[in-house]
Amino acid sequence: MGNELIQISAATVQGSPPATDPALEKATAPASVAGAGKTFYIETFGCQMNVHDSEKVAGVLMARGYRAVESHDDADLILYNTCSIREKAAQKVFSRLGAFKKQQERAGRGPGGNPKIVGVLGCVAQQEGGRIFERAPQVGLVCGSASYSKLPDLLDQLEAGNRRVAGLSLEIDECFETEMTRRDNPFRAYLTIIEGCDKECAYCVVPMTRGPERSRPADRVLADCRRLASEGYTEIQLLGQNVNSYRDPGPAHMSFAGLLAGVAEVKGVRRVRFTTSHPRDFTPEIVRAIESHPALCDQVHLPVQSGSTRVLAHMQRGYTREQYMAKIDCLRGSRRPISLSTDIIVGFCDETEADFEQTLSLLEEVEYDQVFSFKYSPRPNTSAAGRVDSVPEEEKGRRLAILQERQREIQLRRNQACIGREFEVLVENYQPRLGQAVGRTTSNRVINFAGQPAWVGQYMNVRVTEAGPNSLVGINTGM
Ligand code: SAM
Ligand code: SF4
């Protein structure tokens, strides 16, 4: 959601499953498989889609006998799963590769004595392609996100001793299916339902890096959900660049709202989230599904990008401010209150002060519970790349700071209105230093409250006693 510029090491994500996790048991491959005895390390940049792609890549490797390790130093194979949504994110991988090259000059061999292999995966891989080999000669594998289904073949080639292998085709009509996925969160399972994007937003690289839209059959998604529930996952997060553009290729031709209802009805599933929804494809049926299925979380992330119809047209978003607000009215009219979040870009091409004021007025009108906001970053091969990036960097920074301060006030106001209310939370974490449990409500609010480590993974009721702009404080009132 929001594609925060966070960087997550899949090998160190909190809450790695215990050794008895059924997923890991399945991954324990016989000694005869190709990667037996080899080790790997993955570092992930970018959005939840990337985090989940890394979980699937880790599953592919573990099924071949590779073992995950927690540092570059102990790995035979080092993978960077990259993000190129903004320039800064794309640059990160090259600074990592530069640092690694120096380190490799000192100790370039893996634990088995073989030279270490470095792979670049994801959006930068797709965007830069073979140029990565020239820029970073230590790289042996380049694979774009649309080509992950080719990963086993590419690994075969590497294991056979090929020095440089690449998977960069965008002519892909299949999804990345794995027999095994290493899941890094013991309670929440990510599940891709749709990959790629067919929209053409003027600023965005995703259609070029992730390829065309392709949905997974609903019966396969539902079978995955039943299996995840039987393995003990109680929360499922359905993922897609535009999750609600889902089109079931299976015989049932299930709608997205129908699929949501189906997942919510799986026995053992207590919470279902889905992200990201595109405003153009957002229908009243989705709101009806949330109203009638308590397991569907009362939270929708609906990126608006700008409050100005003029800027929205330049962005090629396919809706006006009024059309977006009609979707918001539908959500706000729900019998079950629904928490809203969004993404906003400031300083897109010729955004004027008046356009920006309209974005601020939209914030006040909608009153989101969370906003992910970004300065416009021109990206290669997008249709906006040919336009003048006319808003100076300093002005983008000023607009971003104003917007974030305005939103901070809105969030504080909305969170203060929660004081005295009781929520069910899933305890996701425990902070020993503070003696506090960290829980999340279905509406995606974080509540800290005095607790015990053993509560992690449990559902509890908490009454809110204090509120800040980003989180709440409460007391436990029972299970
Ligand atoms: N598909 C989703 C949608 O259309 O709303 C968004 C997915 S995109 C990967 C995540 C967010 O990154 C976008 O909503 C947008 O706010 C931001 N983003 C994308 N391209 C950007 C760019 N060139 N500069 C700044 N932010 C960008
Ligand atoms: Fe990018 Fe637009 Fe597709 Fe979202 S809908 S991934 S912003 S092109």
Side-chain angles (χ1 to χ4, degrees):
M1 192 182 301
N3 210 289
E4 310 101 288
L5 274 180
I6 43 162
Q7 165 209 322
I8 298 166
S9 157
T12 55
V13 167
Q14 229 181 6
S16 286
T20 50
D21 183 284
L24 284 188
E25 280 174 4
K26 256 192 265 164
T28 310
S32 58
V33 294
K38 291 194 178 137
T39 52
F40 74 97
Y41 174 82
I42 302 191
E43 191 169 359
T44 309
F45 301 83
C47 62
Q48 277 151 337
M49 294 284 287
N50 265 13
V51 171
H52 184 44
D53 283 344
S54 288
E55 292 182 329
K56 291 197 264 185
V57 168
V60 169
L61 288 166
M62 289 162 105
R64 295 171 81 87
Y66 283 76
R67 185 168 54 83
V69 290
E70 305 223 345
S71 118
H72 294 86
D73 299 341
D74 302 329
D76 296 302
L77 175 63
I78 298 166
L79 298 173
Y80 296 105
N81 189 2
T82 60
C83 169
S84 64
I85 198 89
R86 283 166 291 273
E87 196 188 349
K88 258 195 197 154
Q91 276 167 358
K92 271 195 181 172
V93 68
F94 288 106
S95 61
R96 273 293 184 289
L97 288 169
F100 173 76
K101 188 163 177 249
K102 284 194 196 123
Q103 185 198 356
Q104 200 184 26
E105 281 156 9
R106 295 196 298 274
R109 292 189 174 265
N114 299 314
K116 284 180 192 280
I117 295 174
V118 180
V120 178
L121 310 178
C123 295
V124 175
Q126 191 65 53
Q127 194 170 293
E128 297 293 318
R131 284 195 296 269
I132 294 178
F133 293 129
E134 290 156 33
R135 217 170 141 180
Q138 73 272 34
V139 171
L141 166 70
V142 172
C143 182
S145 6
S147 297
Y148 285 151
S149 51
K150 302 279 174 290
L151 209 52
D153 298 342
L154 298 174
L155 290 167
D156 283 345
Q157 292 176 42
L158 275 180
E159 284 153 5
N162 282 358
R163 180 64 195 84
R164 283 180 175 170
V165 298
L168 295 167
S169 171
L170 280 178
E171 308 288 304
I172 297 282
D173 55 8
E174 60 204 356
C175 291
F176 178 32
E177 300 287 346
T178 48
E179 278 182 28
M180 218 294 294
T181 298
R182 187 188 79 163
R183 295 190 186 273
D184 293 314
N185 184 313
F187 326 112
R188 174 187 300 145
Y190 293 121
L191 196 61
T192 310
I193 64 163
I194 177 169
E195 290 180 357
C197 176
D198 282 348
K199 309 267 191 294
E200 293 176 337
C201 301
Y203 51 81
C204 185
V205 287
V206 169
M208 273 86 71
T209 58
R210 286 190 167 266
E213 231 164 61
R214 51 223 187 262
S215 298
R216 299 180 64 220
D219 53 0
R220 205 177 288 178
V221 172
L222 290 168
D224 282 352
C225 291
R226 286 190 286 273
R227 187 179 42 75
L228 288 166
S230 75
E231 287 172 3
Y233 294 96
T234 58
E235 179 172 319
I236 292 185
Q237 182 156 341
L238 304 176
L239 294 181
Q241 289 301 334
N242 296 307
V243 80
N244 59 327
S245 308
Y246 178 80
R247 281 208 199 125
D248 179 12
H253 297 301
M254 206 177 268
S255 67
F256 174 64
L259 181 65
L260 284 181
V263 175
E265 283 162 15
V266 170
K267 200 164 165 278
V269 172
R270 291 182 65 160
R271 288 185 174 184
V272 183
R273 299 187 194 275
F274 52 97
T275 195
T276 297
S277 295
H278 193 288
R280 222 162 78 186
D281 298 332
F282 197 85
T283 61
E285 286 71 44
I286 301 172
V287 178
R288 302 289 91 81
I290 296 173
E291 279 177 337
S292 40
H293 292 83
L296 293 181
C297 288
D298 45 352
Q299 175 219 348
V300 168
H301 183 67
L302 201 64
V304 64
Q305 313 300 356
S306 169
S308 153
T309 292
R310 195 185 75 90
V311 173
L312 288 171
H314 288 167
M315 287 178 164
Q316 294 161 209
R317 285 291 286 177
Y319 53 83
T320 61
R321 177 188 174 120
E322 290 67 32
Q323 286 166 333
Y324 179 85
M325 284 309 298
K327 312 271 174 172
I328 295 292
D329 289 347
C330 174
L331 280 152
R332 288 280 185 235
S334 164
R335 276 185 275 120
R336 186 175 168 205
I338 296 175
S339 170
L340 296 173
S341 57
T342 200
D343 292 350
I344 289 177
I345 298 176
V346 297
F348 179 69
C349 293
D350 64 349
E351 182 190 73
T352 62
E353 188 65 29
D355 292 318
F356 175 61
E357 286 293 331
Q358 290 190 39
T359 299
L360 294 180
S361 82
L362 184 117
L363 282 196
E364 295 291 349
E365 207 175 327
V366 179
E367 296 209 302
Y368 296 103
D369 288 307
Q370 206 175 8
V371 170
F372 299 89
S373 47
F374 313 101
K375 292 191 270 182
Y376 168 57
S377 165
R379 304 307 296 128
N381 307 321
T382 57
S383 66
R387 299 184 55 183
V388 182
D389 177 23
S390 62
V391 181
E393 201 51 31
E394 205 180 311
E395 177 59 16
K396 286 181 189 169
R398 188 189 73 86
R399 291 183 191 176
L400 190 68
I402 293 173
L403 181 132
Q404 290 179 341
E405 179 51 29
R406 196 67 69 85
Q407 179 56 24
R408 208 186 78 87
E409 289 160 14
I410 293 170
Q411 277 174 214
L412 184 60
R413 212 159 63 215
R414 288 187 65 80
N415 282 349
Q416 280 170 341
C418 295
I419 293 176
R421 286 178 59 198
E422 195 162 304
F423 292 91
E424 184 189 64
V425 298
L426 166 60
V427 182
E428 295 188 344
N429 204 349
Y430 175 76
Q431 295 179 318
R433 202 171 51 80
L434 303 169
Q436 277 187 341
V438 183
R440 194 177 293 273
T441 67
T442 55
S443 57
N444 212 29
R445 290 189 165 87
V446 171
I447 313 185
N448 300 295
F449 57 104
Q452 298 164 16
W455 290 358
V456 174
Q458 296 188 25
Y459 288 82
M460 308 196 121
N461 294 324
V462 178
R463 192 169 57 248
V464 176
T465 53
E466 289 171 53
N470 298 313
S471 63
L472 306 167
V473 177
I475 47 168
N476 169 235
T477 56
M479 301 281 269

